[in-house]
Each structure stands twice: as C-alpha cells, then as structure tokens.
Amino acid sequence: MAHDPSRPWTALYEPGVEPELSEIDEAFGEIWNSAAAQSPGRPALAVDNRSVRYSELDALVSRVAASLARDAAGPRERVLVGLPPGLHFVAAALAAWRAGAELVPVD
C-alpha cells in the first residue's frame, strides 16, 4: 500500500482496527525520506539548545544504520538503546526503523 501524501499518516488508523506495521513503516519512511530530500537545510530537530538540519540527522542515521547492519540487526531484531533523550537517541531510533529492527529503550 503506497502512502498518499495528501492523507496524514494518522489516517492509517481506524477505530478498533489495528493497522499493519508495514503500512505504518512505509508511510513513515516516505514522509521522512521526502522531508529529508526536499528540505535538507531545514531544521529537523531542536535538541540540546541547537537545531539539527535534516541533512545532518539523515547522515547520522545512515551511519548508525550501517553500524546496525554490520552487527546483523535487521528486520524483527531487537535493538537495545541505553541513551538519554536527545539527538543520539533520536538517531538510534530512526536507524533501528531504517534497519527494520525493533527499538527497545533501556535505562
């Protein structure tokens, strides 16, 4: 199912019907990739008193995703992340999604 950009990703939800995770992943992926490609110089995240551009965040996510792939973290694998909220946690979460893995935040 291709995501319709004119339809918000929340439209995938219907009361009482659990959406397929693949539909959510596909919609999120298209939204993220589109935003990163169309607006690489725009702020993607404001954290730790600084603004991070889409191009910077996407580059960091790509590096972390490549590292996960080298460690064999792929679809349906769990990735434990013990980072405080911030840029690196967001990058790890996005990288896990990109790898198809499940993020498990730990204290």
Side-chain angles (χ1 to χ4, degrees):
M1 168 183 160
H3 174 68
D4 176 357
S6 66
R7 191 173 136 212
W9 68 270
T10 54
L12 293 172
Y13 295 101
E14 296 176 33
V17 178
E18 189 169 324
E20 291 291 322
L21 288 179
S22 62
E23 292 176 335
I24 296 170
D25 285 346
E26 183 178 333
F28 179 77
E30 288 182 21
I31 291 167
W32 168 259
N33 291 334
S34 174
Q38 291 177 11
S39 306
R42 294 196 65 183
L45 181 67
V47 64
D48 300 328
N49 295 318
R50 70 177 268 229
S51 180
V52 180
R53 297 182 315 238
Y54 275 103
S55 59
E56 294 173 295
L57 183 55
D58 194 51
L60 179 57
V61 169
S62 292
R63 287 193 304 273
V64 175
S67 177
L68 290 175
R70 282 192 301 274
D71 291 339
R76 307 251 181 220
E77 294 291 326
R78 291 188 175 103
V79 175
L80 294 142
V81 177
L83 296 169
L87 172 62
H88 292 101
F89 180 85
V90 171
L94 290 169
W97 159 79
R98 190 174 279 177
E102 298 175 18
L103 178 77
V104 180
V106 294
D107 285 333

